[in-house]
Amino acid sequence: MQEKEKNYEKQEIYAHMKANLQKAMKAGFYYEAVFIEYAIIEDRCTSLLMHGNLQCTDKNNRPYSLDKKLNVLESDKIFNDKRIRKTLSIELINELRLWKADRNKLIHALARTKYDSESLREFAQRGQALANILDNKVKSINRYLVDKK
């Protein structure tokens, strides 16, 4: 598959995910929304690593976890460029870590906790906001990295 075809396919998948996120939020399917938000956040972090020409997999060719990706985004010299760090702040990376940790607690306690629609809605809204913020910042950083080459 040619690069243009891959990019188009990727854009189509991403547009579909964002549309499904909107539908899930509107319908009150907050667990589904959280799953989609996690996928978007992880994908956007992968995109940053790829545009920075950095490894996205371990020595066994398994994809990096979101934790590992966030660690690289925080520590690698490419992302400590002043312009990039201004766009992708340590505070945002820490907000993503906190949301991910809360998401993991939520998912692992799914069968043990009482369903609370309001707090779940708020959590899903927080994830949606973070995914949107990250998406916009990634677009800006990726353009910068391409122009810098």
Side-chain angles (χ1 to χ4, degrees), residues 79-89 137 141:
F79 299 105
N80 282 310
D81 170 284
K82 285 183 184 180
R83 181 165 172 203
I84 292 175
R85 187 54 70 213
K86 183 177 178 185
T87 304
L88 182 66
S89 68
K137 292 183 180 294
I141 293 167

Side-chain angles (χ1 to χ4, degrees), residues 4 8 19 21 27-28 41 44 47 51 56 58-59 61 64 76 79 83 90 95 106 110 115 129-130 140 142 147:
K4 274 188 175 181
Y8 180 74
L21 175 56
I41 290 168
R44 300 293 67 208
S47 178
H51 277 82
C56 297
D58 66 17
K59 62 184 175 194
N61 208 31
Y64 281 167
D76 194 276
F79 299 105
R83 181 165 172 203
I90 298 299
E95 283 183 58
L106 175 74
L110 193 58
Y115 181 79
L130 284 170
S140 172
N142 285 351
D147 291 345

Side-chain angles (χ1 to χ4, degrees), residues 10-124:
K10 178 77 172 167
Q11 288 173 342
E12 200 172 285
I13 290 168
Y14 197 71
H16 187 68
M17 282 192 337
K18 289 186 98 173
N20 282 342
L21 175 56
Q22 294 291 2
K23 288 177 191 174
M25 291 297 291
K26 195 171 195 175
F29 298 144
Y30 302 123
Y31 286 116
E32 183 174 346
V34 169
F35 288 133
I36 296 168
E37 291 158 3
Y38 187 92
I40 289 170
I41 290 168
E42 189 165 38
D43 175 75
R44 300 293 67 208
C45 290
T46 299
S47 178
L48 284 171
L49 296 181
M50 290 174 62
H51 277 82
N53 293 319
L54 296 171
Q55 191 74 25
C56 297
T57 58
D58 66 17
K59 62 184 175 194
N60 296 317
N61 208 31
R62 289 178 300 212
Y64 281 167
S65 67
L66 181 53
D67 267 338
K68 175 70 174 171
K69 291 172 189 173
L70 291 171
N71 288 340
V72 173
L73 292 174
E74 181 177 19
S75 63
D76 194 276
K77 66 181 178 186
I78 289 170
F79 299 105
N80 282 310
D81 170 284
K82 285 183 184 180
R83 181 165 172 203
I84 292 175
R85 187 54 70 213
K86 183 177 178 185
T87 304
L88 182 66
S89 68
I90 298 299
E91 292 79 18
L92 177 57
I93 292 170
N94 286 333
E95 283 183 58
L96 292 165
R97 277 193 185 107
L98 180 61
W99 184 84
K100 183 202 71 69
D102 290 345
R103 175 248 181 217
N104 287 349
K105 287 178 198 168
L106 175 74
I107 299 306
H108 293 294
L110 193 58
R112 297 188 312 269
T113 55
K114 185 178 175 189
Y115 181 79
D116 179 357
S117 177
E118 183 59 24
S119 64
L120 187 55
R121 180 184 62 77
E122 290 171 7
F123 183 72

